[in-house]
C-alpha cells in the first residue's frame, strides 16, 4: 500500500552486512571482531592475525563516505555465545590492551544485560596509505574454562579509481510532505518521514561537456519503515526499490529528475498503537542505538529518519536496521511509479485496476478547495468533498476535474555547472502518482479504500558527489 511512501520516502538507508572475524586462539566463534563492511582476510596460519582493509571513501566501511585522505571505521567486539539474558556471572570477560582501548574511541564491551551480543562500536581513525603499516587491535576472552584471543591488523588504503561512481542522493526534508492513499479519505494527508534517502547512480554526463545524465537504481537499498496510523489501525510499511533496467534522467544544471521505480512493498498490520513501527533508540538522525521491538529487538541500529505520528506515542526515530516482526506481514506487492520534479497524473474515473468508487463524497462532489485547512496527520490538504469539507478526496469522478495531478519543483544545483565540485540543491519537490492494490487485511482495505490511487509530494535535498562503490 504505501509503497510509495518509501518510494518517496526514498530514503534509502542501506545496511551493509557486517563482517565478523573469529578468534584465532580458542573456540573461533566464542568471541568475534565486528569490522562492518571492511574486507577481512585470514592470516597465513590459523593462529595468525587477520588483515582488515578499508578503502578511503568506501561507503561499506568508511563512515566519512568521502575521499578525504583517511578512513573512520566502526569496530566492535561480539560475544558469540550470548543468549541475551542478564547473567553477569556467566558473561564472557574481555581484556583489551591499552593501545586497543585508545584506538577505539567510544568503544564499549558486550553487556550480558542487552539483547544483542555485540558491544558499542569504537571508531578507529586511519590515514590512507599504500604503505604496509597497520594498526593492530587485540583482545583476550574468557568464560569459565574457555579462553581465547584475537588480533586484527587494520589498514586504510587509497581508493581504486575504477570504483569511483557519481551518486545522486535524495534526502527527505523536515516539512511540507504529503502522502494520500485510497478512496475513502481516511488515509490522506500523511506526512512522510524526514531523513529518508535514496541513492541513484548517474552516468553519461560530466563536469564540463554534458549535463544530461542517465540515472539508475544501482545498489541494493532498504528504506526506513514508514508508520501510518488512522482510525485506530496501525500499519508499518517496509519498501525497497527493485533493481531493474529502468533508466531515468537527471540534469546537472536545472536539477530536473524523472526516475521510474518499482518498489517491493510489505504491509505489516501492527499492534499496539504506541508502537506502529519499531524505533531505534538513538537520539537523533545518524545516531547509533538499539531496536526497541520488531524482528531485531535489542540489536544495533542507526537512526535514518524521523516522523511525528498523530494518535500514537508521537515521535518516531526510525531505522532500516529495525524491521517489524515477520508474522505481522499482511501482504507484499510491487508498486510501479515515477518520481519526478515535473507533473504526474492519474486521469479518468476509477483509474486503478479493481477500484470500486472514485471517492467517499456520496451525493457531493470532489470539488472543494480545502488547501487552507491544516490536516491532523501532518500532510497537505488539497481537494475535499463539497458536502463534507473535512473529507479529503481524489477528484477523478465525472462531475469533478477528472484527474489526480501532482506537480514537483526542480531547483538548480549549486555551484552552477560546469564544475568539478560536489553540487547540491535545497527545496526540490518530487511528485508521484500510482495505484495501490488491495491487501489481505480487509480492515485496512475498507478503511483506506483499496484498491485505489495514491499520490505523494516530497520536499527533498539533492546532492551529487563522487563516491567509492562497495
Amino acid at each position: 500500500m504505501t509503497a510509495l511512501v518509501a518510494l518517496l520516502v526514498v530514503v534509502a538507508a542501506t545496511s551493509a552486512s557486517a563482517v565478523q572475524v573469529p578468534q584465532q586462539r580458542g573456540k573461533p566463534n566464542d568471541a568475534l571482531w565486528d569490522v562492518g563492511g571492511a574486507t577481512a582476510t585470514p592470516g597465513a596460519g590459523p593462529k595468525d592475525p587477520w588483515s582488515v582493509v578499508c578503502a578511503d571513501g568506501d561507503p561499506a566501511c568508511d563512515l566519512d563516505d568521502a575521499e578525504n585522505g583517511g578512513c573512520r571505521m566502526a569496530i566492535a567486539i561480539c560475544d558469540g555465545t550470548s543468549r541475551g539474558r542478564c547473567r553477569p556471572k556467566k558473561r564472557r570477560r574481555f581484556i583489551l590492551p591499552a593501545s586497543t582501548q585508545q584506538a577505539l574511541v567510544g568503544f564499549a564491551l558486550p553487556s550480558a544485560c542487552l539483547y544483542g551480543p555485540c558491544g558499542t562500536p569504537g571508531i578507529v581513525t586511519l590515514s590512507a596509505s599504500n604503505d604496509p603499516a597497520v594498526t593492530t587491535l587485540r583482545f583476550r576472552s574468557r568464560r569459565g574454562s574457555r579462553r581465547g584471543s584475537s588480533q586484527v591488523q587494520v589498514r586504510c588504503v587509497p581508493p581504486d579509481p575504477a570504483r569511483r561512481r557519481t551518486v545522486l542522493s535524495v534526502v527527505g526534508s523536515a516539512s511540507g510532505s504529503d502522502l494520500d492513499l485510497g478512496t475513502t479519505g481516511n488515509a490522506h494527508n500523511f506526512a512522510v518521514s524526514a531523513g529518508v534517502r535514496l541513492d541513484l547512480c548517474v552516468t553519461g554526463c560530466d563536469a564540463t561537456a554534458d549535463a544530461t545524465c542517465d540515472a539508475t537504481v544501482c545498489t541494493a537499498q532498504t528504506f526506513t519503515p514508514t508508520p501510518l496510523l488512522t482510525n485506530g489501525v496501525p500499519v508499518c510499511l517496509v519498501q525497497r526499490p527493485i533493481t531493474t533496467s529502468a533508466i531515468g534522467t537527471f540534469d546537472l544544471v536545472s536539477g530536473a529528475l524523472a526516475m521510474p521505480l518499482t518498489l517491493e512493498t510489505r504491509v505489516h498490520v501492527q499492534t499496539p498503537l504506541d508502537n506502529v513501527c519499531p524505533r531505534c533508540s538513538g537520539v537523533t538522525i545518524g545516531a547509533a542505538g538499539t531496536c526497541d521491538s520488531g524482528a531485531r529487538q535489542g540489536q544495533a541500529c542507526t537512526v535514518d529518519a524521523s516522523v511525528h505520528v498523530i494518535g500514537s506515542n508521537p515521535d518516531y526515530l526510525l531505522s532500516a536496521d529495525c524491521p517489524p516482526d515477520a508474522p505481522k506481514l499482511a501482504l507484499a506487492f510491487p508498486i510501479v511509479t515515477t518520481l519526478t520534479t515535473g507533473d504526474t497524473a492519474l486521469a479518468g474515473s476509477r483509474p486503478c485496476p479493481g477500484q470500486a468508487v472514485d471517492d467517499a463524497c456520496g451525493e457531493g462532489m470532489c470539488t472543494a478547495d480545502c488547501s487552507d485547512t491544516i490536516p491532523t496527520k501532518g500532510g497537505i490538504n488539497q481537494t475535499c468533498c463539497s458536502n463534507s469539507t473535512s473529507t479529503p478526496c481524489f477528484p477523478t469522478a465525472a462531475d469533478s476535474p477528472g484527474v489526480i495531478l501532482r506537480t514537483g519543483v526542480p531547483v538548480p544545483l549549486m555551484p552552477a555547472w560546469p564544475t568539478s565540485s560536489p553540487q547540491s540543491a535545497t527545496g526540490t519537490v518530487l511528485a508521484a502518482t500510482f495505484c495501490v492494490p488491495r491487501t489481505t487485511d480487509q480492515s485496512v482495505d475498507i478503511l483506506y479504500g483499496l484498491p485505489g490511487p495514491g499520490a505523494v509530494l516530497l520536499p527533498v535535498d539533492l546532492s551529487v558527489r563522487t563516491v567509492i562503490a562497495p
Side-chain angles (χ1 to χ4, degrees), residues 123-139:
I123 307 301
V124 58
T125 301
L126 305 170
S127 297
S129 174
N130 285 317
D131 294 337
V134 297
T135 295
T136 300
L137 306 176
R138 300 180 175 89
F139 71 69

Side-chain angles (χ1 to χ4, degrees), residues 293-320:
S293 59
R296 298 187 69 252
Q297 181 176 5
Q299 297 188 48
C301 58
T302 300
V303 177
D304 301 317
S306 65
V307 71
H308 197 75
V309 179
I310 304 300
S312 173
N313 183 4
D315 295 316
Y316 279 73
L317 293 172
L318 302 158
S319 174

